[in-house]
């Protein structure tokens, strides 16, 4: 049986990317083949290289055209893309090239607190300011609109009155690290 090849897209520190790389290490059916990044100096780059993962970096201009990225993914026979803290909108030609094969994670219970500019601390701040009693993560497929693709799974955590952006962020990270690899694995294997 052919293993499914994954390209991880990440822009920052890379805790979710590293978690996915470690989860799929020696997996019998799924392989993380490459990491795509739009920042050559992002901490995730060195973390992926240390784990033996090929890293491709593109300028924002190259990324926005999507053509070079698509060609490189095609050349490597990539089957799925997983966004793990990638902060750029995916170009339409990449979305069409990987129709229903791009998985993203969002740090709120979509459709609440999604859309352009809603990432990381901005989401957590909005959740706290709205006095929500719950937040969580949404794992979803990517379409042409920010955070509006089909939701694959959601997991919740309480928002306590004393929570800050940092404490809520930590709760969300725990959910991400626990559930993201498993839902990605199930989605890929059941496709």
């Amino acid at each position: 049986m052919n293993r499914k090849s994954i390209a991880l897209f990440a822009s920052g520190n890379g805790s979710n990317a590293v978690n996915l790389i470690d989860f799929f290490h020696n997996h019998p059916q799924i392989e993380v083949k490459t990491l795509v990044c739009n920042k050559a100096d992002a901490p995730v780059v060195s973390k992926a290289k240390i784990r033996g993962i090929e890293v491709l970096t593109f300028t924002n201009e190259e990324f926005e055209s999507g053509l070079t990225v698509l060609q490189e993914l095609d050349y490597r026979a990539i089957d799925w893309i997983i966004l793990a803290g990638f902060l750029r909108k995916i170009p339409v030609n990449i979305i069409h090239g990987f129709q229903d094969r791009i998985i993203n994670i969002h740090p709120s219970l979509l459709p609440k607190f999604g859309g352009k500019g809603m990432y990381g601390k901005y989401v957590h701040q909005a959740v706290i300011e709205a006095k929500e009693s719950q937040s969580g993560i949404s794992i979803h497929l990517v379409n042409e609109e920010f955070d509006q693709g089909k939701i694959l799974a959601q997991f919740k955590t309480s928002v306590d009155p004393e929570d800050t952006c940092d404490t809520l962020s930590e709760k969300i990270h725990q959910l991400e690290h626990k559930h993201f690899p498993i839902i990605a694995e199930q989605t890929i294997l059941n496709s």
Side-chain angles (χ1 to χ4, degrees):
M1 176 182 187
N2 287 344
R3 292 169 84 196
K4 299 286 186 186
S5 294
I6 295 174
L8 297 177
F9 284 30
S11 297
N13 192 40
S15 68
N16 273 315
V18 167
N19 190 40
L20 288 160
I21 291 167
D22 292 347
F23 181 85
F24 288 117
H25 182 70
N26 291 330
H27 192 285
Q29 296 168 284
I30 299 170
E31 171 188 17
V32 175
K33 209 167 202 176
T34 191
L35 176 99
V36 173
C37 187
N38 62 320
K39 297 178 183 175
D41 61 347
V44 69
V45 169
S46 59
K47 291 175 183 178
K49 286 180 179 176
I50 287 168
R51 285 164 174 78
I53 303 298
E54 175 194 37
V55 175
L56 300 174
T57 56
F58 296 96
T59 65
N60 287 334
E61 293 74 27
E62 288 172 324
F63 191 80
E64 282 168 17
S65 87
L67 282 175
T68 308
V69 178
L70 211 45
Q71 288 169 338
E72 293 293 342
L73 296 176
D74 188 48
Y75 175 74
R76 286 161 179 79
I78 298 297
D79 298 301
W80 284 80
I81 295 170
I82 300 179
L83 308 182
F86 191 72
L87 299 181
R88 298 201 64 82
K89 193 166 198 283
I90 304 300
V92 171
N93 55 354
I94 295 177
I95 291 171
H96 290 172
F98 284 84
Q99 194 74 47
D100 295 328
R101 292 183 293 132
I102 305 175
I103 301 170
N104 191 22
I105 190 164
H106 186 77
S108 76
L109 298 171
L110 293 173
K112 289 183 173 183
F113 309 105
K116 187 171 174 54
M118 292 303 278
Y119 61 91
K121 67 180 182 182
Y122 302 107
V123 174
H124 306 317
Q125 190 63 47
V127 167
I128 290 168
E129 287 173 3
K131 298 188 181 346
E132 295 285 325
S133 61
Q134 288 187 321
S135 190
I137 61 170
S138 300
I139 301 166
H140 64 94
L141 295 177
V142 173
N143 64 14
E144 286 124 3
E145 302 300 323
F146 269 121
D147 302 324
Q148 292 184 21
K150 176 186 173 190
I151 293 175
L152 302 170
Q154 291 184 310
F155 300 93
K156 297 175 183 177
T157 187
S158 63
V159 180
D160 301 316
E162 64 276 8
D163 269 328
T164 64
C165 277
D166 289 340
T167 60
L168 183 54
S169 175
E170 183 53 38
K171 289 179 182 181
I172 297 299
H173 269 108
Q174 287 177 13
L175 288 177
E176 290 173 344
H177 291 173
K178 180 179 179 182
H179 297 290
F180 195 19
I182 294 165
I183 298 301
E185 177 188 44
Q186 289 172 353
T187 303
I188 292 166
L189 293 179
N190 293 331
S191 64

